[in-house]
Amino acid sequence: MKLRRFTEVGITRFDDFRASSARTENQLRAILEDVACSVSTGADIDVERVHFPTRFSVGEYLHGLLDDVAAPGVNTDVGTWTWLSAFYFEQLCPQGSSPGDRPRWVPAVDNYRQYYRHLLAGPYLIYRAHNDNPHRAMALLANPPHQPGDIAEQLASRQELVTNPSVMEVATRLYINSATNSPKRGAAGRGAGSARRLAAILNQLDLTWDLYGLDPDKLLDLLPEEFDQFKP
Amino acid sequence: MPARRIHFTGRRRLTTQDVRISLYNEAVPLAFEIPHFSLKRHDLPGDALVRVEAYRQSTYMPFDLGTVANVRLPGHLALTEFNTPDAIRFRVKVTSVAEATDGQLLAVGDRIRPAWVDGGQESLLPVRPASLDQEVFRLDLEDEPVLLINDKIDRWRDVSRDEHFVALVYPMVLRAILTHIVPDNMPDAEESDDWRFMWLRFAKTHPGISDPPDDDKGGDDLSAGDWIDAVVAEFCKRHHTYDTFARRWDSEDDL
């Protein structure tokens, strides 16, 4: 199907769809196909019904789809991202789960803290920021698309952290099992050495150290003992 | 309440004496340049790295400027991550590369307000459109105050200047901002570029308003709450906010 963008009418109908307790596949298809709900983006892009096992696969696919297009602004357009959310709705809201709040579906492009919460734009932005070595950001991309997880919640909301290659490298070394590419136990939550604690420690280190220029090994050395349990 | 900012000994503080930044506020994309940059008075190592960062709320763009001994000041640098010029701030960092202190910050200039090159000036309270769903407006205090107006309103900027909007919204906005500052988040005396300093200076332009209390003691001294009430009251008098509202309200009754 050709990539489209929702109009205001389409966004409102999609909001109503998600809020309904009796959502059906037919209703969703109607919204996607109704010409009142969406228009062409102006870019000739084919979107496929790809299965995304992880947020990494979301970022990889959408980066390939959107980053070399002739229509500028497509990759920051609220209508386009919302349409994509609807297109992949079944994967982003599996049977029995709740859609969650609006920024997950309609991107808050003016507010970076909210922008990263979008279930598709979030992984896309992270992947794009590290497209020279996207595996470095695996800490934020290892989870399934509908469950960004606590590590992403703690680290993705600040652009200076999420775009920082050293911080992302360190987070991945700490919290991702390199054999399975899945998060380690204890990485989420509030415990010692968790991602929440890493965000807090980075805030403190930011006052004294130039985090952007620090080598990942050096940054790991600066972390207090509570992180030793996660260090490779 | 936010803690006072902490100064770290040994780390130099860069001010407008050291760096000034110009923003091309009508360029597409927005762009900036650095017409003045001098670190001479700080005695920093020549091989220390220099970087400037543009930011607003949680949006961020870094630019490398070389070393202290060999600063590169390119012309226009595009700010592709920012779509409006309001409330963009800059941070300059000088970082050690010496073995013992590699990566440590040697000097920082933060919350640097750029001068607008293309005319106009930044308002004390920047106004920006935002995706707010059913909220008409929101005061964002994540960093410097920014008034967000729902971007579904076609003439969102006109809304922020509408006399009825001003009458109903701005007293609350002023109260919220001053409550955020006084007494637990006061600026240092020398930080005249600091947004908090500017808002307190604005407060003192009102008749009878002197310096705010720097703690929340009551008694004979004016408490923070009383001081803020006094400022808001004088602001409302200056702008005839009740009269504006009443005129509109009464005229609707006549319909």
Side-chain angles (χ1 to χ4, degrees):
Chain A
M1 190 170 188
K2 292 290 179 203
L3 178 67
R4 295 178 69 76
R5 61 183 301 275
F6 270 151
T7 59
E8 282 297 328
V9 168
I11 292 175
T12 301
R13 280 188 58 185
F14 187 47
D15 284 341
D16 294 340
F17 170 79
R18 295 192 318 276
S20 164
S21 56
R23 295 185 294 271
T24 68
E25 221 174 289
N26 286 339
Q27 288 169 346
L28 182 60
R29 190 179 306 119
I31 295 171
L32 285 166
E33 293 173 357
D34 187 342
V35 294
C37 290
S38 67
V39 296
S40 166
T41 62
D44 184 27
I45 302 173
D46 288 304
V47 189
E48 295 163 351
R49 294 229 172 253
V50 180
H51 172 63
F52 300 122
T54 62
R55 282 159 53 84
F56 186 95
S57 56
V58 171
E60 185 178 41
Y61 177 73
L62 292 178
H63 183 257
L65 199 71
L66 298 175
D67 260 38
D68 289 318
V69 298
V74 163
N75 58 356
T76 57
D77 179 61
V78 173
T80 304
W81 282 112
T82 311
W83 186 91
L84 280 167
S85 305
F87 187 75
Y88 291 112
F89 184 80
E90 285 91 352
Q91 289 194 61
L92 302 178
C93 186
Q95 196 81 358
S97 64
S98 164
D101 55 10
R102 197 172 191 260
R104 287 160 62 95
W105 302 96
V106 182
V109 296
D110 295 314
N111 182 334
Y112 207 83
R113 188 185 297 276
Q114 297 289 328
Y115 197 2
Y116 264 114
R117 298 185 61 215
H118 192 267
L119 294 174
L120 298 177
Y124 162 81
L125 289 168
I126 294 167
Y127 189 99
R128 187 178 70 141
H130 298 278
N131 71 78
D132 62 315
N133 179 12
H135 286 274
R136 124 185 6 124
M138 191 58 79
L140 273 58
L141 297 174
N143 275 21
H146 66 289
Q147 292 175 319
D150 203 43
I151 302 173
E153 181 68 33
Q154 295 304 320
L155 297 178
S157 61
R158 285 175 56 192
Q159 193 172 14
E160 68 265 34
L161 291 185
V162 75
T163 58
N164 185 323
S166 293
V167 168
M168 288 296 103
E169 176 79 40
V170 163
T172 294
R173 287 194 204 176
L174 287 173
Y175 300 127
I176 296 297
N177 183 317
S178 56
T180 61
N181 261 345
S182 56
K184 296 176 186 173
R185 185 188 294 274
R190 295 171 183 268
S194 65
R196 185 181 295 261
R197 285 288 303 146
L198 178 64
I201 295 296
L202 289 173
N203 271 340
Q204 294 173 21
L205 291 175
D206 195 34
L207 296 170
T208 311
W209 298 88
D210 179 12
L211 295 185
Y212 207 84
L214 273 186
D215 180 83
D217 291 326
K218 173 91 181 200
L219 181 52
L220 271 172
D221 283 343
L222 289 173
L223 297 178
E225 276 179 15
E226 63 179 288
F227 293 92
D228 287 354
Q229 58 181 306
F230 292 106
K231 286 182 183 175
Chain B
M1 281 286 199
R4 286 178 182 269
R5 293 189 299 170
I6 301 169
H7 291 291
F8 292 85
T9 56
R11 196 180 79 199
R12 310 295 208 290
R13 186 169 163 270
L14 304 180
T15 68
T16 50
Q17 207 175 331
D18 310 300
V19 56
R20 285 194 291 276
I21 295 178
S22 297
L23 179 70
Y24 290 87
N25 50 294
E26 292 190 5
V28 179
L30 295 168
F32 76 99
E33 65 179 10
I34 307 174
H36 170 69
F37 190 89
S38 173
L39 301 175
K40 287 192 179 109
R41 70 186 182 109
H42 293 290
D43 190 28
L44 295 162
D47 59 353
L49 300 175
V50 182
R51 188 169 70 251
V52 65
E53 299 169 351
Y55 67 96
R56 175 174 63 205
Q57 297 169 297
S58 43
T59 305
Y60 167 88
M61 287 187 76
F63 301 87
D64 285 320
L65 298 183
T67 63
V68 169
N70 188 19
V71 174
R72 293 189 309 269
L73 297 177
H76 287 35
L77 288 166
L79 294 169
T80 51
E81 295 288 320
F82 300 87
N83 53 0
T84 61
D86 305 279
I88 296 176
R89 297 290 175 259
F90 293 84
R91 188 183 291 128
V92 176
K93 291 181 174 176
V94 180
T95 308
S96 171
V97 296
E99 194 174 331
T101 54
D102 186 28
Q104 276 193 13
L105 292 169
L106 299 175
V108 177
D110 202 357
R111 300 173 190 259
I112 299 170
R113 294 167 74 103
W116 285 16
V117 171
D118 298 323
Q121 65 178 36
E122 193 175 337
S123 166
L124 181 60
L125 180 65
V127 180
R128 292 181 47 227
S131 181
L132 297 178
D133 197 14
Q134 284 297 311
E135 289 177 80
V136 175
F137 73 93
R138 183 190 302 163
L139 177 65
D140 190 315
L141 286 171
E142 185 183 324
D143 191 15
E144 295 183 39
V146 177
L147 183 63
L148 305 175
I149 307 278
N150 196 308
D151 62 4
K152 288 189 284 201
I153 302 171
D154 280 341
R155 294 176 297 124
W156 58 269
R157 205 179 276 284
D158 291 344
V159 164
S160 71
R161 296 176 186 144
D162 176 81
E163 60 173 2
H164 304 105
F165 184 88
V166 169
L168 285 174
V169 171
Y170 278 53
M172 185 281 295
V173 163
L174 178 60
R175 182 182 297 282
I177 292 169
L178 294 179
T179 303
H180 189 69
I181 300 171
V182 181
D184 293 327
N185 194 21
M186 300 281 273
D188 291 334
E190 71 270 16
E191 293 177 295
S192 59
D193 274 353
D194 189 295
W195 65 269
R196 297 166 297 168
F197 189 97
M198 292 181 173
W199 274 98
L200 295 180
R201 189 169 60 194
F202 171 73
K204 291 192 292 181
T205 65
H206 294 81
I209 303 297
S210 56
D211 286 329
D214 57 8
D215 58 37
D216 208 13
K217 293 186 181 138
D220 291 340
D221 297 329
L222 202 63
S223 72
D226 290 339
W227 183 86
I228 293 169
D229 282 346
V231 174
V232 173
E234 289 301 323
F235 174 86
C236 289
K237 280 184 202 168
R238 176 185 281 181
H239 294 279
H240 305 285
T241 50
Y242 169 77
D243 292 340
T244 302
F245 173 78
R247 205 166 42 240
R248 170 74 170 267
W249 186 262
D250 292 342
S251 71
E252 286 182 1
D253 275 349
D254 292 341
L255 291 175

PDB file of all heavy atoms in Angstrom, chain B residues 61-90:
ATOM      1  N   MET B  61      21.226  19.948  19.647  1.00  0.00           N
ATOM      2  CA  MET B  61      22.137  19.775  18.508  1.00  0.00           C
ATOM      3  C   MET B  61      23.532  20.222  18.920  1.00  0.00           C
ATOM      4  O   MET B  61      23.714  21.371  19.324  1.00  0.00           O
ATOM      5  CB  MET B  61      21.708  20.641  17.318  1.00  0.00           C
ATOM      6  CG  MET B  61      20.475  20.187  16.578  1.00  0.00           C
ATOM      7  SD  MET B  61      20.196  21.191  15.086  1.00  0.00           S
ATOM      8  CE  MET B  61      21.454  20.520  13.987  1.00  0.00           C
ATOM      9  N   PRO B  62      24.547  19.350  18.817  1.00  0.00           N
ATOM     10  CA  PRO B  62      25.912  19.743  19.158  1.00  0.00           C
ATOM     11  C   PRO B  62      26.711  20.131  17.905  1.00  0.00           C
ATOM     12  O   PRO B  62      26.454  19.608  16.822  1.00  0.00           O
ATOM     13  CB  PRO B  62      26.486  18.454  19.758  1.00  0.00           C
ATOM     14  CG  PRO B  62      25.766  17.348  19.035  1.00  0.00           C
ATOM     15  CD  PRO B  62      24.424  17.894  18.609  1.00  0.00           C
ATOM     16  N   PHE B  63      27.687  21.038  18.108  1.00  0.00           N
ATOM     17  CA  PHE B  63      28.580  21.451  17.006  1.00  0.00           C
ATOM     18  C   PHE B  63      29.997  21.546  17.569  1.00  0.00           C
ATOM     19  O   PHE B  63      30.244  22.256  18.540  1.00  0.00           O
ATOM     20  CB  PHE B  63      28.173  22.825  16.462  1.00  0.00           C
ATOM     21  CG  PHE B  63      26.769  22.891  15.929  1.00  0.00           C
ATOM     22  CD1 PHE B  63      25.710  23.176  16.784  1.00  0.00           C
ATOM     23  CD2 PHE B  63      26.497  22.675  14.594  1.00  0.00           C
ATOM     24  CE1 PHE B  63      24.405  23.229  16.320  1.00  0.00           C
ATOM     25  CE2 PHE B  63      25.197  22.736  14.110  1.00  0.00           C
ATOM     26  CZ  PHE B  63      24.151  23.009  14.975  1.00  0.00           C
ATOM     27  N   ASP B  64      30.929  20.835  16.945  1.00  0.00           N
ATOM     28  CA  ASP B  64      32.327  20.894  17.395  1.00  0.00           C
ATOM     29  C   ASP B  64      32.995  22.148  16.837  1.00  0.00           C
ATOM     30  O   ASP B  64      32.845  22.464  15.655  1.00  0.00           O
ATOM     31  CB  ASP B  64      33.085  19.657  16.906  1.00  0.00           C
ATOM     32  CG  ASP B  64      32.694  18.446  17.719  1.00  0.00           C
ATOM     33  OD1 ASP B  64      32.537  18.574  18.948  1.00  0.00           O
ATOM     34  OD2 ASP B  64      32.533  17.363  17.120  1.00  0.00           O
ATOM     35  N   LEU B  65      33.766  22.832  17.682  1.00  0.00           N
ATOM     36  CA  LEU B  65      34.417  24.071  17.257  1.00  0.00           C
ATOM     37  C   LEU B  65      35.938  23.971  17.301  1.00  0.00           C
ATOM     38  O   LEU B  65      36.628  24.980  17.249  1.00  0.00           O
ATOM     39  CB  LEU B  65      33.957  25.237  18.146  1.00  0.00           C
ATOM     40  CG  LEU B  65      32.474  25.586  18.121  1.00  0.00           C
ATOM     41  CD1 LEU B  65      32.208  26.820  18.994  1.00  0.00           C
ATOM     42  CD2 LEU B  65      31.987  25.845  16.704  1.00  0.00           C
ATOM     43  N   GLY B  66      36.486  22.779  17.450  1.00  0.00           N
ATOM     44  CA  GLY B  66      37.940  22.640  17.438  1.00  0.00           C
ATOM     45  C   GLY B  66      38.511  22.696  18.840  1.00  0.00           C
ATOM     46  O   GLY B  66      37.924  22.155  19.785  1.00  0.00           O
ATOM     47  N   THR B  67      39.658  23.367  18.985  1.00  0.00           N
ATOM     48  CA  THR B  67      40.322  23.435  20.281  1.00  0.00           C
ATOM     49  C   THR B  67      40.462  24.883  20.725  1.00  0.00           C
ATOM     50  O   THR B  67      40.267  25.806  19.935  1.00  0.00           O
ATOM     51  CB  THR B  67      41.728  22.813  20.200  1.00  0.00           C
ATOM     52  OG1 THR B  67      42.512  23.585  19.283  1.00  0.00           O
ATOM     53  CG2 THR B  67      41.675  21.363  19.731  1.00  0.00           C
ATOM     54  N   VAL B  68      40.844  25.068  21.962  1.00  0.00           N
ATOM     55  CA  VAL B  68      41.023  26.419  22.513  1.00  0.00           C
ATOM     56  C   VAL B  68      42.046  27.192  21.694  1.00  0.00           C
ATOM     57  O   VAL B  68      41.862  28.370  21.394  1.00  0.00           O
ATOM     58  CB  VAL B  68      41.442  26.328  23.991  1.00  0.00           C
ATOM     59  CG1 VAL B  68      41.904  27.676  24.513  1.00  0.00           C
ATOM     60  CG2 VAL B  68      40.282  25.806  24.834  1.00  0.00           C
ATOM     61  N   ALA B  69      43.148  26.528  21.318  1.00  0.00           N
ATOM     62  CA  ALA B  69      44.197  27.211  20.562  1.00  0.00           C
ATOM     63  C   ALA B  69      43.810  27.426  19.107  1.00  0.00           C
ATOM     64  O   ALA B  69      44.374  28.285  18.438  1.00  0.00           O
ATOM     65  CB  ALA B  69      45.484  26.395  20.628  1.00  0.00           C
ATOM     66  N   ASN B  70      42.863  26.664  18.628  1.00  0.00           N
ATOM     67  CA  ASN B  70      42.502  26.731  17.211  1.00  0.00           C
ATOM     68  C   ASN B  70      40.986  26.570  17.072  1.00  0.00           C
ATOM     69  O   ASN B  70      40.485  25.543  16.579  1.00  0.00           O
ATOM     70  CB  ASN B  70      43.252  25.642  16.442  1.00  0.00           C
ATOM     71  CG  ASN B  70      43.073  25.781  14.949  1.00  0.00           C
ATOM     72  OD1 ASN B  70      42.696  26.849  14.457  1.00  0.00           O
ATOM     73  ND2 ASN B  70      43.336  24.716  14.220  1.00  0.00           N
ATOM     74  N   VAL B  71      40.270  27.621  17.497  1.00  0.00           N
ATOM     75  CA  VAL B  71      38.806  27.558  17.445  1.00  0.00           C
ATOM     76  C   VAL B  71      38.343  27.799  16.010  1.00  0.00           C
ATOM     77  O   VAL B  71      38.785  28.750  15.361  1.00  0.00           O
ATOM     78  CB  VAL B  71      38.187  28.632  18.375  1.00  0.00           C
ATOM     79  CG1 VAL B  71      36.683  28.675  18.203  1.00  0.00           C
ATOM     80  CG2 VAL B  71      38.556  28.341  19.814  1.00  0.00           C
ATOM     81  N   ARG B  72      37.484  26.936  15.543  1.00  0.00           N
ATOM     82  CA  ARG B  72      36.893  27.116  14.202  1.00  0.00           C
ATOM     83  C   ARG B  72      35.515  27.741  14.397  1.00  0.00           C
ATOM     84  O   ARG B  72      34.669  27.156  15.060  1.00  0.00           O
ATOM     85  CB  ARG B  72      36.731  25.769  13.505  1.00  0.00           C
ATOM     86  CG  ARG B  72      38.007  25.059  13.134  1.00  0.00           C
ATOM     87  CD  ARG B  72      37.676  23.851  12.246  1.00  0.00           C
ATOM     88  NE  ARG B  72      36.642  23.005  12.832  1.00  0.00           N
ATOM     89  CZ  ARG B  72      36.887  21.966  13.627  1.00  0.00           C
ATOM     90  NH1 ARG B  72      38.127  21.645  13.950  1.00  0.00           N
ATOM     91  NH2 ARG B  72      35.896  21.240  14.111  1.00  0.00           N
ATOM     92  N   LEU B  73      35.341  28.882  13.774  1.00  0.00           N
ATOM     93  CA  LEU B  73      34.026  29.527  13.853  1.00  0.00           C
ATOM     94  C   LEU B  73      33.439  29.605  12.450  1.00  0.00           C
ATOM     95  O   LEU B  73      33.602  30.608  11.752  1.00  0.00           O
ATOM     96  CB  LEU B  73      34.153  30.932  14.454  1.00  0.00           C
ATOM     97  CG  LEU B  73      34.654  30.990  15.890  1.00  0.00           C
ATOM     98  CD1 LEU B  73      34.799  32.433  16.342  1.00  0.00           C
ATOM     99  CD2 LEU B  73      33.701  30.253  16.829  1.00  0.00           C
ATOM    100  N   PRO B  74      32.783  28.547  12.028  1.00  0.00           N
ATOM    101  CA  PRO B  74      32.199  28.576  10.690  1.00  0.00           C
ATOM    102  C   PRO B  74      31.094  29.616  10.604  1.00  0.00           C
ATOM    103  O   PRO B  74      30.638  30.121  11.620  1.00  0.00           O
ATOM    104  CB  PRO B  74      31.632  27.168  10.514  1.00  0.00           C
ATOM    105  CG  PRO B  74      31.561  26.576  11.866  1.00  0.00           C
ATOM    106  CD  PRO B  74      32.460  27.343  12.770  1.00  0.00           C
ATOM    107  N   GLY B  75      30.685  29.936   9.409  1.00  0.00           N
ATOM    108  CA  GLY B  75      29.599  30.893   9.234  1.00  0.00           C
ATOM    109  C   GLY B  75      28.301  30.306   9.715  1.00  0.00           C
ATOM    110  O   GLY B  75      28.220  29.746  10.790  1.00  0.00           O
ATOM    111  N   HIS B  76      27.280  30.410   8.889  1.00  0.00           N
ATOM    112  CA  HIS B  76      25.967  29.912   9.291  1.00  0.00           C
ATOM    113  C   HIS B  76      26.015  28.417   9.622  1.00  0.00           C
ATOM    114  O   HIS B  76      26.510  27.622   8.838  1.00  0.00           O
ATOM    115  CB  HIS B  76      24.973  30.077   8.146  1.00  0.00           C
ATOM    116  CG  HIS B  76      24.555  31.494   7.923  1.00  0.00           C
ATOM    117  ND1 HIS B  76      25.403  32.556   8.091  1.00  0.00           N
ATOM    118  CD2 HIS B  76      23.369  32.017   7.541  1.00  0.00           C
ATOM    119  CE1 HIS B  76      24.760  33.662   7.813  1.00  0.00           C
ATOM    120  NE2 HIS B  76      23.520  33.372   7.478  1.00  0.00           N
ATOM    121  N   LEU B  77      25.489  28.071  10.764  1.00  0.00           N
ATOM    122  CA  LEU B  77      25.329  26.663  11.138  1.00  0.00           C
ATOM    123  C   LEU B  77      23.829  26.404  11.231  1.00  0.00           C
ATOM    124  O   LEU B  77      23.122  27.080  11.978  1.00  0.00           O
ATOM    125  CB  LEU B  77      26.012  26.385  12.476  1.00  0.00           C
ATOM    126  CG  LEU B  77      27.544  26.385  12.422  1.00  0.00           C
ATOM    127  CD1 LEU B  77      28.141  26.458  13.818  1.00  0.00           C
ATOM    128  CD2 LEU B  77      28.050  25.146  11.701  1.00  0.00           C
ATOM    129  N   ALA B  78      23.372  25.432  10.476  1.00  0.00           N
ATOM    130  CA  ALA B  78      21.927  25.196  10.378  1.00  0.00           C
ATOM    131  C   ALA B  78      21.385  24.487  11.617  1.00  0.00           C
ATOM    132  O   ALA B  78      21.999  23.539  12.119  1.00  0.00           O
ATOM    133  CB  ALA B  78      21.621  24.363   9.139  1.00  0.00           C
ATOM    134  N   LEU B  79      20.243  24.958  12.071  1.00  0.00           N
ATOM    135  CA  LEU B  79      19.571  24.357  13.241  1.00  0.00           C
ATOM    136  C   LEU B  79      18.378  23.549  12.747  1.00  0.00           C
ATOM    137  O   LEU B  79      17.214  23.919  12.946  1.00  0.00           O
ATOM    138  CB  LEU B  79      19.125  25.470  14.196  1.00  0.00           C
ATOM    139  CG  LEU B  79      20.269  26.248  14.856  1.00  0.00           C
ATOM    140  CD1 LEU B  79      19.747  27.491  15.553  1.00  0.00           C
ATOM    141  CD2 LEU B  79      20.992  25.365  15.866  1.00  0.00           C
ATOM    142  N   THR B  80      18.669  22.439  12.141  1.00  0.00           N
ATOM    143  CA  THR B  80      17.635  21.665  11.445  1.00  0.00           C
ATOM    144  C   THR B  80      16.636  21.002  12.389  1.00  0.00           C
ATOM    145  O   THR B  80      15.560  20.610  11.964  1.00  0.00           O
ATOM    146  CB  THR B  80      18.289  20.587  10.569  1.00  0.00           C
ATOM    147  OG1 THR B  80      19.211  19.845  11.377  1.00  0.00           O
ATOM    148  CG2 THR B  80      19.053  21.211   9.403  1.00  0.00           C
ATOM    149  N   GLU B  81      17.000  20.876  13.663  1.00  0.00           N
ATOM    150  CA  GLU B  81      16.078  20.215  14.595  1.00  0.00           C
ATOM    151  C   GLU B  81      15.068  21.181  15.205  1.00  0.00           C
ATOM    152  O   GLU B  81      14.191  20.762  15.954  1.00  0.00           O
ATOM    153  CB  GLU B  81      16.866  19.563  15.739  1.00  0.00           C
ATOM    154  CG  GLU B  81      17.778  18.429  15.282  1.00  0.00           C
ATOM    155  CD  GLU B  81      17.023  17.181  14.887  1.00  0.00           C
ATOM    156  OE1 GLU B  81      16.038  16.837  15.569  1.00  0.00           O
ATOM    157  OE2 GLU B  81      17.399  16.544  13.888  1.00  0.00           O
ATOM    158  N   PHE B  82      15.191  22.480  14.883  1.00  0.00           N
ATOM    159  CA  PHE B  82      14.317  23.468  15.496  1.00  0.00           C
ATOM    160  C   PHE B  82      13.437  24.105  14.418  1.00  0.00           C
ATOM    161  O   PHE B  82      13.945  24.531  13.391  1.00  0.00           O
ATOM    162  CB  PHE B  82      15.138  24.561  16.188  1.00  0.00           C
ATOM    163  CG  PHE B  82      16.036  24.060  17.275  1.00  0.00           C
ATOM    164  CD1 PHE B  82      17.321  23.615  16.971  1.00  0.00           C
ATOM    165  CD2 PHE B  82      15.610  24.035  18.586  1.00  0.00           C
ATOM    166  CE1 PHE B  82      18.160  23.135  17.973  1.00  0.00           C
ATOM    167  CE2 PHE B  82      16.446  23.567  19.591  1.00  0.00           C
ATOM    168  CZ  PHE B  82      17.718  23.115  19.272  1.00  0.00           C
ATOM    169  N   ASN B  83      12.154  24.186  14.684  1.00  0.00           N
ATOM    170  CA  ASN B  83      11.275  24.741  13.657  1.00  0.00           C
ATOM    171  C   ASN B  83      10.856  26.188  13.933  1.00  0.00           C
ATOM    172  O   ASN B  83      10.350  26.864  13.032  1.00  0.00           O
ATOM    173  CB  ASN B  83      10.031  23.849  13.477  1.00  0.00           C
ATOM    174  CG  ASN B  83       9.309  23.597  14.790  1.00  0.00           C
ATOM    175  OD1 ASN B  83       9.736  24.090  15.844  1.00  0.00           O
ATOM    176  ND2 ASN B  83       8.229  22.864  14.759  1.00  0.00           N
ATOM    177  N   THR B  84      11.047  26.682  15.155  1.00  0.00           N
ATOM    178  CA  THR B  84      10.773  28.098  15.456  1.00  0.00           C
ATOM    179  C   THR B  84      11.953  28.647  16.250  1.00  0.00           C
ATOM    180  O   THR B  84      12.676  27.899  16.897  1.00  0.00           O
ATOM    181  CB  THR B  84       9.479  28.276  16.284  1.00  0.00           C
ATOM    182  OG1 THR B  84       9.632  27.587  17.539  1.00  0.00           O
ATOM    183  CG2 THR B  84       8.262  27.728  15.564  1.00  0.00           C
ATOM    184  N   PRO B  85      12.147  29.987  16.190  1.00  0.00           N
ATOM    185  CA  PRO B  85      13.340  30.549  16.850  1.00  0.00           C
ATOM    186  C   PRO B  85      13.185  30.792  18.347  1.00  0.00           C
ATOM    187  O   PRO B  85      14.178  30.970  19.053  1.00  0.00           O
ATOM    188  CB  PRO B  85      13.528  31.885  16.130  1.00  0.00           C
ATOM    189  CG  PRO B  85      12.156  32.279  15.686  1.00  0.00           C
ATOM    190  CD  PRO B  85      11.430  30.997  15.398  1.00  0.00           C
ATOM    191  N   ASP B  86      11.941  30.781  18.834  1.00  0.00           N
ATOM    192  CA  ASP B  86      11.728  31.148  20.239  1.00  0.00           C
ATOM    193  C   ASP B  86      12.415  30.176  21.190  1.00  0.00           C
ATOM    194  O   ASP B  86      12.373  28.972  20.991  1.00  0.00           O
ATOM    195  CB  ASP B  86      10.226  31.152  20.559  1.00  0.00           C
ATOM    196  CG  ASP B  86       9.453  32.056  19.624  1.00  0.00           C
ATOM    197  OD1 ASP B  86       9.457  33.263  19.858  1.00  0.00           O
ATOM    198  OD2 ASP B  86       8.886  31.535  18.655  1.00  0.00           O
ATOM    199  N   ALA B  87      12.989  30.747  22.235  1.00  0.00           N
ATOM    200  CA  ALA B  87      13.517  29.978  23.368  1.00  0.00           C
ATOM    201  C   ALA B  87      14.656  29.025  23.010  1.00  0.00           C
ATOM    202  O   ALA B  87      14.973  28.142  23.808  1.00  0.00           O
ATOM    203  CB  ALA B  87      12.391  29.213  24.077  1.00  0.00           C
ATOM    204  N   ILE B  88      15.303  29.194  21.868  1.00  0.00           N
ATOM    205  CA  ILE B  88      16.504  28.388  21.601  1.00  0.00           C
ATOM    206  C   ILE B  88      17.640  28.969  22.448  1.00  0.00           C
ATOM    207  O   ILE B  88      17.866  30.172  22.451  1.00  0.00           O
ATOM    208  CB  ILE B  88      16.902  28.427  20.112  1.00  0.00           C
ATOM    209  CG1 ILE B  88      15.812  27.799  19.246  1.00  0.00           C
ATOM    210  CG2 ILE B  88      18.232  27.683  19.902  1.00  0.00           C
ATOM    211  CD1 ILE B  88      16.097  27.882  17.759  1.00  0.00           C
ATOM    212  N   ARG B  89      18.325  28.114  23.138  1.00  0.00           N
ATOM    213  CA  ARG B  89      19.455  28.548  23.958  1.00  0.00           C
ATOM    214  C   ARG B  89      20.696  27.777  23.558  1.00  0.00           C
ATOM    215  O   ARG B  89      20.619  26.742  22.891  1.00  0.00           O
ATOM    216  CB  ARG B  89      19.166  28.278  25.450  1.00  0.00           C
ATOM    217  CG  ARG B  89      17.979  29.053  25.976  1.00  0.00           C
ATOM    218  CD  ARG B  89      18.276  30.528  26.072  1.00  0.00           C
ATOM    219  NE  ARG B  89      17.083  31.274  26.481  1.00  0.00           N
ATOM    220  CZ  ARG B  89      16.308  31.952  25.634  1.00  0.00           C
ATOM    221  NH1 ARG B  89      16.602  31.997  24.337  1.00  0.00           N
ATOM    222  NH2 ARG B  89      15.260  32.594  26.075  1.00  0.00           N
ATOM    223  N   PHE B  90      21.854  28.302  24.018  1.00  0.00           N
ATOM    224  CA  PHE B  90      23.119  27.676  23.647  1.00  0.00           C
ATOM    225  C   PHE B  90      23.944  27.409  24.890  1.00  0.00           C
ATOM    226  O   PHE B  90      23.855  28.103  25.896  1.00  0.00           O
ATOM    227  CB  PHE B  90      23.895  28.582  22.677  1.00  0.00           C
ATOM    228  CG  PHE B  90      23.227  28.714  21.338  1.00  0.00           C
ATOM    229  CD1 PHE B  90      22.215  29.643  21.150  1.00  0.00           C
ATOM    230  CD2 PHE B  90      23.584  27.896  20.286  1.00  0.00           C
ATOM    231  CE1 PHE B  90      21.571  29.757  19.924  1.00  0.00           C
ATOM    232  CE2 PHE B  90      22.956  28.005  19.058  1.00  0.00           C
ATOM    233  CZ  PHE B  90      21.945  28.932  18.870  1.00  0.00           C
TER     234      PHE B  90
END
